[in-house]
Amino acid sequence: MTEQGVRWTADQVLALAPDAASRKAGGRLGTAGPWSGSGSGKESVWGLCKGSGSKPYQTVVDLTGPAYRCSCPSRKFPCKHALGLLLLWAADDGSVPVRAEPPEWAEQWLTGRRDRAEDKRTEGGGSAPAADPEAARRRAERRAERVTAGATELEQRLADLLRGGLAAAEQAGYGLWEETAARMVDAQAPGLAARVRDLGAIPASGAGWPARLLEECALLHLLDQGWLRREALPEPLAATVRSRLGLPASADGPPERDRWLVLAQYDTADTKLTTRRIWLYGTASHRTRLLLSYGLAGRAPELSLPVGLALDAELSAYPGAGQLRAALGERFGAPVPAGLRPPGTSTAEALARYGTALREDPWLESVPVTLEQVVPVPDGEQWQLADAEEDAALPLTRAARSRPGLWRLLALSGGAPVTVFGECGHRGFTPLTAWREGDGEAVPLC
């Protein structure tokens, strides 16, 4: 009989769901009734799920990814069948027994995945045609010229706005900003386009919008000037400017192997793209890193890691001053329970860290922080995290106050101090994961 893999908890499985509907549907399939031929090994789980058709859906999960394959027509990753299978496996009630070998249909997919991963690790060595450096240089120069033209045009539009008064922005409506954003897309500066679209929404954002609009215009002007004067900037800051403009970059940092604790995972979406953010903490390096994964509209990103588990893997950092983003490289096994949490800090220290980070990246919305010994308490109609031993607190962001995770945090605390990981910025603190004092199990809040 093959070695049994370490089973995850139901919360860790449900944290992988791409949306609330999948989480609910997966929960209904987390019982033995619809399943047959189920089994598990050290690094995989498989089973047949009865559906509406004559043939059951073939579902298999590679725990080392994790990665999923199901014969159902769903475009979500993981689909409800994969979630249901993992929930059944996590229950550890004998419904998913340990087996020596997976069935042929599951083994074929698992073997193919591992072969492709091995090919990716060993590719190179002259097998691929070398890129033409001169052609790449010319392409980069042409794009830089277009970005410069776009930044120059945007500077003129910002000057016209301030010359005419901020009230004109409310009268002009969103159309003016959308047309300007389209011009930035033509200039191949998607980062500028995104910030311009954000400007267009501010006049309709409620009381105090002129101050917020002026603040965002100033940051946009700073980014424009950073690009137009990039030759005078230190290289790390210049790399940050290129990143904020949306220019492509490769993760060129040396691979760093560590036991990475999965701190949080959440998605943001617009009409064209779903962005998944996964925060990791190196238990040996004590570094916090961010993985980004993308899915086209209507499709969830494929990369998904269970919160609270630890992954033995290599990460490579992206360039830029103070940048935390990294690329996931080789993995050395399936994620396993860690029983750890990152060291915490106070609310005052969290704000100080954000201020320090702004010196390297003035456009930074927030920094990852773990708060220790904090209690969620009401503040009028809002909420804040108050230090249990100090007279200080951090307000929760508007987004945090509107999420169901707030009530989960309140239930977990029950008025007692907790440890909370989240993002701290100028809008407040967004809690993403929490731990009860004396308890090593992570509770996702998003």
Side-chain angles (χ1 to χ4, degrees):
M1 181 173 290
T2 189
E3 185 180 348
Q4 177 176 338
V6 179
R7 308 226 175 195
W8 305 343
T9 66
D11 278 343
Q12 287 164 344
V13 171
L14 291 174
L16 299 172
D19 51 42
S22 298
R23 190 177 298 113
K24 184 176 180 180
R28 290 196 295 265
L29 292 174
T31 60
W35 293 95
S36 62
S38 302
S40 66
K42 183 180 180 181
E43 297 182 340
S44 59
V45 184
W46 60 86
L48 301 172
C49 186
K50 183 180 179 181
S52 57
S54 58
K55 293 183 178 180
Y57 295 124
Q58 297 175 337
T59 308
V60 57
V61 179
D62 182 349
L63 298 173
T64 63
Y68 321 92
R69 189 265 180 190
C70 185
S71 57
C72 76
S74 175
R75 300 172 65 190
K76 296 181 180 181
F77 295 96
C79 68
K80 62 181 181 181
H81 305 101
L83 289 170
L85 176 61
L86 286 173
L87 286 171
L88 190 63
W89 169 71
D92 199 10
D93 60 1
S95 299
V96 185
V98 179
R99 299 186 187 275
E101 297 291 343
E104 182 180 356
W105 57 267
E107 179 62 30
Q108 184 178 6
W109 180 76
L110 291 167
T111 301
R113 263 186 56 80
R114 288 159 190 163
D115 288 346
R116 289 190 295 273
E118 182 61 28
D119 290 343
K120 187 176 181 180
R121 285 193 294 269
T122 59
E123 69 182 359
S127 59
D132 182 350
E134 181 59 27
R137 184 189 64 78
R138 290 195 297 269
R139 287 193 299 271
E141 287 181 351
R142 288 194 296 269
R143 180 166 190 171
E145 290 173 358
R146 286 191 287 268
V147 173
T148 297
T152 302
E153 179 181 346
L154 183 55
E155 282 291 276
Q156 184 59 53
R157 297 206 175 192
L158 290 174
D160 292 343
L161 170 66
L162 297 179
R163 188 179 300 111
L166 295 181
E170 186 177 30
Q171 298 168 0
Y174 191 77
L176 171 65
W177 301 106
E178 184 59 36
E179 189 269 335
T180 303
R183 296 282 295 168
M184 296 305 103
V185 171
D186 292 341
Q188 293 186 291
L192 290 180
R195 286 184 170 270
V196 167
R197 290 192 179 96
D198 289 344
L199 286 181
I202 292 176
S205 63
W209 69 264
R212 291 193 295 274
L213 180 61
L214 185 60
E215 178 184 271
E216 292 302 320
C217 284
L219 287 172
L220 190 52
H221 168 68
L222 184 64
L223 185 56
D224 280 340
Q225 289 299 315
W227 172 258
L228 296 174
R229 304 182 186 187
R230 61 191 181 278
E231 300 298 337
L233 298 179
E235 176 49 33
L237 183 56
T240 298
V241 169
R242 292 193 294 269
S243 173
R244 292 297 181 185
L245 286 168
L247 274 64
S250 300
D252 56 3
E256 181 179 20
R257 183 174 178 178
D258 205 336
R259 189 170 175 237
W260 299 98
L261 177 64
V262 184
L263 293 177
Q265 172 179 294
Y266 69 96
D267 294 350
T268 56
D270 56 31
T271 57
K272 296 182 179 179
L273 195 68
T274 297
T275 301
R276 174 164 295 165
R277 290 171 170 82
I278 302 176
W279 285 107
L280 304 176
Y281 172 77
T283 57
S285 64
H286 305 295
R287 293 190 177 94
T288 303
R289 291 286 182 255
L290 174 65
L291 303 181
L292 295 182
S293 182
Y294 302 96
L296 296 178
R299 300 198 65 171
E302 291 194 26
L303 180 60
S304 186
L305 296 175
V307 175
L309 298 187
L311 180 67
D312 184 4
E314 290 181 341
L315 300 184
S316 296
Y318 279 82
Q323 296 300 299
L324 300 178
R325 187 185 173 192
L328 181 59
E330 185 174 357
R331 287 171 264 191
F332 303 94
V336 297
L340 300 171
R341 67 182 76 175
T345 189
S346 67
T347 57
E349 176 59 27
L351 288 174
R353 288 185 186 180
Y354 179 54
T356 299
L358 285 175
R359 292 205 300 262
E360 296 182 325
D361 184 354
W363 308 276
L364 191 64
E365 291 286 332
S366 61
V367 293
V369 173
T370 300
L371 299 177
E372 194 171 46
Q373 288 280 309
V374 291
V375 182
V377 295
D379 179 24
E381 297 181 355
Q382 301 181 7
W383 286 87
Q384 60 184 3
L385 291 177
D387 276 304
E389 300 178 354
E390 299 180 15
D391 186 19
L394 277 176
L396 297 188
T397 60
R398 180 182 299 180
R401 299 195 302 269
S402 65
R403 291 176 179 171
L406 172 59
W407 306 112
R408 178 177 283 196
L409 176 61
L410 295 176
L412 182 71
S413 167
V418 291
T419 298
V420 184
F421 169 78
E423 297 170 348
C424 179
H426 64 281
R427 293 185 176 90
F429 187 85
T430 301
L432 300 175
T433 305
W435 298 262
R436 186 185 291 109
E437 292 305 303
D439 188 348
E441 183 175 334
V443 178
L445 304 175
C446 51

